[in-house]
Amino acid sequence: MLSRPDILTPADGAAVAVENSAASGPVVLVCEHASLALPERAGDLGLPAEALESHIAWDPGALAVSRLLSQTLDAVLIHQRFSRLIYDCNRPPESPAAMPEKSEIYDIPGNRDLGAAERYARTAALYVPFHDSISATLVAREAAGLSSVLVTVHSFTPVYFGKPRAVEIGILHDSDSRLADGMLEAAEGGPFRVERNAPYGPDDGVTHSLRLHALPHGHLNVMIEVRNDLIADNIGQGVVADYLAVLIQNAITACQK
Ligand SMILES: [Zn+2]
């Protein structure tokens, strides 16, 4: 278990990466679960290798799809460089899921009984800079006269607690469904099984980033969940990114009418 405030060392690098920061397209892409990397000092959190590489550590394929979307949409992309096992940046610090003691079938020994100092240190090292970076990006764009559409990109496991999931792409929203409605309409009759607020929804606490950065400011927003078997390789990532880019563009156009 970590027990020091300096969770990230210079060798680890920054918590946050911002790519294509000068992009002029309307979309701001966010990928909270982009990475399975753990800070050097975190060790393995007491987990076996299979868990450290599984969906409990990250959203496989989500960063690759985000990068393709960033190119196609000329969009800035902000992603977390460390695993959600150490801090899940789509959860507020007070949520038990921010530093989970258990994820699906795995107990996470390195997250058991964390004290206030450790929780604070992880929050300060990983969560705060990540969300500060998103805020700063949105504020700078506004100052430059650019409106922003917040799109967060995730992937989910095809089998959860032993149960297969049929949904292929989830379009998730909180109280502002404008963009999600437009994407769902654009998806009708298309090649993928696309569902609203699936396999999770706002009641599961997954819309934290939307609630933090989009809802208070009136930015169009959506959270996208892609079943990770569809984006396991370059070909799948390209197909899904192209598909999502069209849905996003059509939905933005529909919202502007
Ligand atoms: Zn995710």
Side-chain angles (χ1 to χ4, degrees), residues 182-223:
M183 289 182 69
L184 286 158
E185 201 177 315
E188 273 172 29
F192 291 105
R193 181 163 170 172
V194 183
E195 294 183 15
R196 182 188 300 270
N197 286 331
Y200 321 102
D203 293 343
D204 302 303
V206 298
T207 52
H208 178 61
S209 294
L210 305 184
R211 294 174 70 99
L212 208 52
H213 299 292
L215 300 187
H217 308 291
H219 301 309
L220 290 172
N221 65 91
V222 73
M223 172 176 173

Side-chain angles (χ1 to χ4, degrees), residues 31-223:
C31 198
E32 297 97 323
H33 304 148
S35 174
L36 49 57
L38 285 170
E40 202 180 347
R41 286 183 173 151
D44 61 8
L45 296 174
L47 285 164
E50 61 176 63
L52 293 169
E53 287 161 17
S54 78
H55 72 94
I56 74 163
W58 66 319
D59 286 355
L63 179 59
V65 169
S66 299
R67 283 181 165 146
L68 293 170
L69 283 171
S70 171
Q71 288 168 17
T72 308
L73 300 171
D74 189 21
V76 59
L77 164 61
I78 301 162
H79 58 96
Q80 170 57 250
R81 293 188 56 253
F82 294 95
S83 170
R84 65 170 161 208
L85 290 170
I86 192 85
Y87 192 109
D88 182 337
C89 278
N90 196 26
R91 294 293 193 288
E94 66 274 18
S95 165
M99 296 162 251
E101 295 192 5
K102 194 175 169 102
S103 183
E104 201 193 5
I105 54 173
Y106 295 101
D107 286 315
I108 305 168
N111 288 352
R112 203 176 293 144
D113 299 326
L114 294 179
E118 174 72 19
R119 299 184 73 86
Y120 177 82
R122 292 193 193 188
T123 303
L126 297 157
Y127 174 86
V128 172
F130 183 73
H131 287 288
D132 276 356
S133 178
I134 300 171
S135 293
T137 297
L138 293 168
V139 167
R141 287 172 57 88
E142 193 163 357
L146 295 169
S147 63
S148 293
V149 176
L150 186 69
V151 176
T152 71
V153 180
H154 295 258
S155 73
F156 62 93
T157 180
V159 179
Y160 192 60
F161 283 113
K163 254 181 95 176
R165 285 161 156 169
V167 56
E168 294 181 309
I169 296 175
I171 304 295
L172 284 66
H173 59 82
D174 203 283
S175 57
D176 174 4
S177 69
R178 291 173 296 166
L179 192 69
D181 292 343
M183 289 182 69
L184 286 158
E185 201 177 315
E188 273 172 29
F192 291 105
R193 181 163 170 172
V194 183
E195 294 183 15
R196 182 188 300 270
N197 286 331
Y200 321 102
D203 293 343
D204 302 303
V206 298
T207 52
H208 178 61
S209 294
L210 305 184
R211 294 174 70 99
L212 208 52
H213 299 292
L215 300 187
H217 308 291
H219 301 309
L220 290 172
N221 65 91
V222 73
M223 172 176 173

